[in-house]
Amino acid sequence: MAYVILGTCINDAACVDVCPVACIHPAPAEAGFATADMLYIDPQICIDCNACAEACPINAIVREQDLTPKLLRYKTLNAEMALARSKVA
Ligand code: SF4
Ligand code: SF4
């Protein structure tokens, strides 16, 4: 299980600094941050600690198991963006 970032993300990166495993991308120092529509969480690395959800000012981070059917697409989107990043890294 992992946490998932929703499309309401405003890219303030408040979650990035609190993640103990650095699985939220793109971080401000990484390529693509300035132009990203939203950040995403790599589900392969996330350890379900909840720190990011507590840090997010607009509640844009949700536990995977709490996603409503309407929001499930963000689970796929986060995973796809993480996979795309791993292929160019
Ligand atoms: S739940 Fe924890 S490990 Fe997962 S993305 Fe958030 S801060 Fe990082
Ligand atoms: S803290 Fe919330 S709004 Fe800010 S970048 Fe992270 S997910 Fe997006």
Side-chain angles (χ1 to χ4, degrees):
M1 290 294 178
Y3 277 61
V4 172
I5 295 181
L6 307 179
T8 48
C9 171
I10 55 170
N11 289 24
D12 69 346
C15 53
V16 172
D17 286 344
V18 300
C19 180
V21 293
C23 69
I24 304 176
H25 304 286
E30 295 172 339
F33 177 77
T35 55
D37 291 330
M38 58 180 279
L39 304 194
Y40 60 89
I41 291 170
D42 186 335
Q44 301 294 332
I45 300 176
C46 175
I47 57 169
D48 254 354
C49 75
N50 195 55
C52 56
E54 287 182 8
C56 181
I58 58 158
N59 297 322
I61 306 180
V62 180
R63 288 194 314 165
E64 181 181 323
Q65 54 268 50
D66 293 337
L67 287 168
T68 62
K70 195 177 165 187
L71 295 176
L72 260 181
R73 65 193 170 100
Y74 287 108
K75 174 185 171 184
T76 306
L77 187 60
N78 278 233
E80 285 177 350
M81 291 194 285
L83 189 62
R85 179 177 183 273
S86 72
K87 285 181 177 168
V88 297

